[in-house]
Amino acid sequence: MTSSSSPSQDTKRLAHSHPEALRADALMEEDVAWSYEIDGERDGDQFDRSERAALRRVAGLSTELEDVTEVEYRQLRLERVVLVGVWTTGTSEDAENSLAELAALAETAGALVLDGVIQRRDKPDAATYIGSGKAAELRDVVLETGADTVICDGELSPGQLIQLEDVVKVKVIDRTALILDIFAQHAKSREGKAQVALAQMQYMLPRLRGWGQSLSRQMGGGRGGLATRGPGETKIETDRRRIREKMAKMRREIADMKTGREVKRQERRRNKVPSVAIAGYTNAGKSSLLNRLTGAGVLVENALFATLDPTVRRAETPTGRVYTLADTVGFVRHLPHHLVEAFRSTMEEVGDSDLILHVVDGSHPVPEEQLAAVREVIRDVGATAVPEIVVINKADAADPLVLQRLLRIEPRSIAVSARTGKGIDELLALIDNELPRPSVEVEALVPYTHGKLVARAHTEGEVLSEEHTAEGTLLKARVHEELAADLAPYTPASA
C-alpha cells in the first residue's frame, strides 16, 4: 500500500529558488513536535499526520481480466470504476476489508474495478465526503485510470453527491445505490421487483435534480384569468409528487401480496407444521444449505445477492417430523434502510419462524462482523426472541483456528460444509432437538376407518410407536392439544 502524495526530494534545489519553502517546512516540523505540556493531556487516539494527509491506495482490488476473449466480452458491458472510502474507526485492516467488500459488490453489479483509495478522517466531510483537497487528488486518480464512475463506501447526502461530481467530473454513486442496482438486476418475482422499485424510489426522491425546463413553473392557479394569479408547480415538484403517488401505489400492491403469503403461513400454523428460517450474510451459502437439506434446486452462485426471492420448502427430520425451511434474502453490513423497509414483509418469515439457522461464512477473514451485521437486521425486524443456531458454513475452506474460535464464542453453533456434506447429519439432528415438540403424549387404538387421524399424527406430531392390530392402529405419539382431543375417544381405556 502506497501513499498518493509524497514530500519533495529536492530540498536543496528548492532552498535556492524558494527560500520560503524551507520556512514552511520548519513551521510544519514545529507544528508536529510533541511535548508533554501540550499533548500529554489529550484524550483519545490522535491520528497520525501521514494518515490524515493522504489517500491510501488499497492493493489487490482490480478485477481486470487478462484473457483477451473475456476482456473483449466484459468491456462491452462493464463500467470502469474507482472506489473511495473514509476510514473513521477501527483498524486499517477493517477499512480495507470494507473496501474489498465494496469491490465485490461492484463486480456483482457488472463493473470493472480499477483502483481503490481510503481517506483517514475523524468523520466524512460534509461537503465532498473526502474533503476538497482529496477530491482533487481523486480526480487525478480518475484521469490516470480512465475510470468513468466513482463509488463511495457509504451513503452520500444529495449535497455531497453533487459537489463530489463537480470536482471529479464523472458519475458518482454511493454504496446504497450500488446495492439497489444489484437487487434490481437479481429480482425475479413480482413481489421482489415491487419491493426493489419501492426502495429505489425512496432513495431517488430526495436526490432529484432540476435544471433548465425542470425548474420552470407551470401556469399558475388562477380561476381562468388571462394571466396566472401565482406561481405554479415547477417540473421537479411535479416529478416528486408523481413519485410519491407511485410509492403509495407500490406499498398497496406489496400489502396485497403480503396477504397471500400470510394465508399460506396461517395454513401451516393450522396444520401445526414447525418452520425454520435460514438467515445470514450474503454469499454465506444459504441457498447451498437449503439445497443440501431439501434438494430444492435453488440457484447457487458465488456472487453477492445471487438469490433475492424467498423460497420455502418441505423437509423432514431424521425422526420423521415434517417442517418447512425458508431461504431469505442475504444481509450485508450497512444494509440500506430503504431495503430493510421495502423487504420487511419478506423478512417477516424470520420473525414468524420457530427456529433460525444463522449461516455465517467460516472462510471469511472476520466472520464475527458478519454475525453482528445480520443480528442487527434480525433485531430490526423484531425476531430476537426466536431460538438461533449458528451454522458455520464452508468449513472445508475455513481456517481451523477461526472455526475453533467461533465454536467457542457461539455456544449454539455447528460447523458444516454444504458443498461436501460434512456436518449435515449432525445439523439435522440438532434441528430435530431444537424444534418445538408437541405438548401432549397420547396412546390410542385408531380404527382403520379413521386413518386420517393417524396421518395427522405423522404430519402434526411426533409418532413414538405404531403397531397394526386386528382392531386398528395402536398409536403412541406426542401431539398438540387439538389432535389429542380428537384421539381421546380411541384411547385403550375408553375402548
Side-chain angles (χ1 to χ4, degrees), residues 268-323:
R268 292 199 294 267
R269 290 194 200 104
R270 189 177 65 80
N271 292 328
K272 305 294 188 299
V273 179
S275 61
V276 178
I278 302 178
Y281 212 76
T282 181
N283 206 30
K286 298 183 299 300
S287 297
S288 299
L289 186 64
L290 178 71
N291 291 342
R292 174 65 69 171
L293 293 175
T294 66
V298 176
L299 168 70
V300 173
E301 186 179 356
N302 185 22
L304 306 184
F305 301 114
T307 52
L308 294 182
D309 303 316
T311 305
V312 181
R313 291 291 184 269
R314 180 181 180 276
E316 284 190 11
T317 66
T319 58
R321 298 173 64 197
V322 176
Y323 64 97

Side-chain angles (χ1 to χ4, degrees), residues 68-147:
V68 174
T69 57
E70 292 187 54
V71 171
E72 288 176 351
Y73 166 68
R74 293 183 63 178
Q75 284 182 344
L76 293 175
R77 65 184 180 91
L78 299 188
E79 292 185 71
R80 300 166 64 83
V81 304
V82 170
L83 311 180
V84 57
V86 170
W87 165 24
T88 57
T89 59
T91 64
S92 61
E93 186 179 0
D94 294 335
E96 291 179 14
N97 286 339
S98 181
L99 210 64
E101 183 177 271
L102 186 68
L105 288 168
E107 190 175 10
T108 301
L112 180 64
V113 178
L114 302 176
D115 207 345
V117 294
I118 296 175
Q119 165 68 3
R120 181 66 154 126
R121 298 181 67 91
D122 296 331
K123 60 182 179 180
D125 181 67
T128 59
Y129 185 66
I130 56 175
S132 57
K134 294 302 168 285
E137 289 185 34
L138 180 61
R139 170 63 178 163
D140 295 338
V141 174
V142 168
L143 288 173
E144 177 188 337
T145 58

Side-chain angles (χ1 to χ4, degrees), residues 158-236:
Q160 288 174 322
L161 205 62
I162 293 171
Q163 294 192 54
L164 189 57
E165 277 191 353
D166 287 342
V167 176
V168 299
K169 306 301 182 184
V170 295
K171 181 173 69 174
V172 176
I173 63 173
D174 58 16
R175 185 187 182 95
T176 300
L178 178 61
I179 294 176
L180 286 171
D181 181 73
I182 295 172
F183 271 57
Q185 291 181 45
H186 291 179
K188 297 293 185 290
S189 68
R190 177 168 168 259
E191 183 175 12
K193 290 178 180 178
Q195 289 168 328
V196 172
L198 175 60
Q200 286 178 317
M201 284 187 284
Q202 286 177 317
Y203 174 80
M204 182 172 57
L205 185 60
R207 292 171 173 80
L208 283 181
R209 304 185 197 178
W211 59 85
Q213 290 297 318
S214 297
L215 297 179
S216 62
R217 294 190 179 274
Q218 300 176 358
M219 296 297 285
R223 292 197 173 189
L226 293 177
T228 63
R229 300 297 193 268
E233 278 186 318
T234 62
K235 177 66 166 57
I236 193 170

Side-chain angles (χ1 to χ4, degrees), residues 443-445 488-495:
E443 182 177 354
L445 183 62
Y490 306 107
T491 58
S494 304

